[in-house]
Amino acid sequence: MSEEKTSLGWKRRLAAWWEGYELPPVAAQADAPSTCLPAPPPPPGPPGPASQAGNVSRFGRPLWTATRIEVAEKIWGSGFATPGGEDFIPYLVKPLGLNPAMSVLDLSAGLGGATRQMASTFGCWVTGLEASPVLAEAAMERSVKAGLAKQAPVAHYDPETFRHPKRFDCIFAKEAFVFIKNREALTDAIELSLKPKGQLLFTDYVYEKQAAPGPATRSWLDNEPIEPHVLTISQVVTSLQQRNLDIRITEDITDTHKNLIIQAVQTLTGFLEKHTL
């Protein structure tokens, strides 16, 4: 089998696993070019753990399944569903100066990798919140297994209507705000959830300046399972300043982010050449 044919095969399989549909049997075995058929929609009825509200993309497909979680952890590392695993989180949160006396709210818990790492590495108490009910459930299971059910719990929440009864020393989020439509309301809620002199640290996808999206960006906007609502850097800064939040550090980590993705995909490519999921 040629190198090109093998490459096409694992790419199609990865796409099918990631998006949650089955490849036609013949195509999957022969790695011949074909059209991937989506799985039929789930039958109507009471929602189960993997089909609750909040786990369906804007195209009607499940956002997360057990298989997609398995693939995500294989790509990004155990407990992680986005780029930047356990080697990256300590660097990312270093400006917060976390210690055992501090409380942290993680608004992008995912599978709980960063939530648990902040708790276990720095001794702080971290509350993880996750927009996907399936990821939140899987994350809490992992926190329980790690013995961090109390120090790093994870629960489901709706970021569009977020409010929290407690205040925190730090609020953390990683590439999550771009998928939230009502950003102003979320920023209001974040301000109310911070203690006096509290800290907010987040990473996000933003436009450098206001301009018509190019073809690649337009394709991403049209095809991302959850609709992105991308702001410019200026819009983000203005929103924070209107709430008297003092911006101490800003950093463009685009190159670092890209390198994390490239390294993870290269590792996965090597794995798929010798194994199957």
Side-chain angles (χ1 to χ4, degrees):
M1 184 179 295
S2 69
E3 181 179 348
E4 180 181 4
K5 200 169 185 181
T6 302
S7 176
L8 289 173
W10 76 256
K11 286 180 181 178
R12 281 202 307 277
R13 292 196 299 273
L14 175 59
W17 291 325
W18 188 253
E19 296 294 346
Y21 57 77
E22 298 291 337
L23 282 169
V26 174
Q29 294 173 8
D31 281 333
S34 66
T35 301
C36 297
L37 301 177
S51 61
Q52 301 173 47
N55 192 49
V56 178
S57 76
R58 56 176 166 160
F59 308 118
R61 289 178 176 172
L63 282 172
W64 289 98
T65 63
T67 304
R68 191 182 185 198
I69 289 174
E70 180 186 1
V71 175
E73 289 190 292
K74 182 58 65 177
I75 297 173
W76 310 122
S78 179
F80 291 89
T82 59
E86 60 182 16
D87 293 335
F88 181 64
I89 296 302
Y91 161 78
L92 188 61
V93 303
K94 186 176 180 180
L96 296 175
L98 298 178
N99 62 62
M102 299 173 73
S103 60
V104 182
L105 178 63
D106 183 352
L107 293 177
S108 58
L111 289 167
T115 306
R116 288 186 295 275
Q117 188 167 14
M118 286 187 282
S120 59
T121 301
F122 303 102
C124 50
W125 295 78
V126 188
T127 299
L129 296 179
E130 168 53 43
S132 164
V134 175
L135 286 185
E137 182 180 353
M140 188 59 198
E141 290 174 355
R142 286 157 173 75
S143 289
V144 171
K145 290 180 180 178
L148 294 169
K150 293 184 178 180
Q151 194 174 354
V154 179
H156 170 248
Y157 84 121
D158 181 359
E160 299 287 353
T161 59
F162 165 67
R163 287 288 186 277
H164 203 283
K166 297 182 180 179
R167 287 195 163 198
F168 298 84
D169 296 295
C170 304
I171 295 180
F172 171 82
K174 186 174 176 296
E175 293 98 57
F177 294 164
V178 68
F179 300 110
I180 298 169
K181 185 176 182 179
N182 195 355
R183 291 281 289 276
E184 292 300 311
L186 176 67
T187 308
D188 285 337
I190 287 174
E191 181 190 17
L192 293 173
S193 298
L194 280 172
K195 292 180 180 179
K197 297 184 179 181
Q199 302 177 83
L200 167 65
L201 187 152
F202 67 96
T203 62
D204 206 9
Y205 296 107
V206 295
Y207 291 134
E208 186 174 7
K209 57 185 178 181
Q210 193 69 55
T217 303
R218 185 74 262 168
S219 176
W220 170 62
L221 293 171
D222 292 340
N223 292 284
E224 186 69 24
I226 302 176
E227 183 180 2
H229 302 281
V230 190
L231 301 181
T232 64
I233 296 174
S234 176
Q235 287 172 320
V236 174
V237 169
T238 299
S239 178
L240 296 173
Q241 289 176 336
Q242 287 175 342
R243 291 157 178 85
N244 296 318
L245 295 174
D246 185 16
I247 301 173
R248 299 290 182 89
I249 300 174
T250 60
E251 183 180 356
D252 183 354
I253 61 170
T254 301
D255 290 340
T256 300
H257 194 69
K258 287 165 62 177
N259 288 335
L260 289 170
I261 295 170
I262 291 170
Q263 291 170 11
V265 172
Q266 287 175 338
T267 301
L268 178 69
T269 301
F271 175 84
L272 290 177
E273 288 174 351
K274 301 176 181 179
H275 305 85
T276 58
L277 291 174

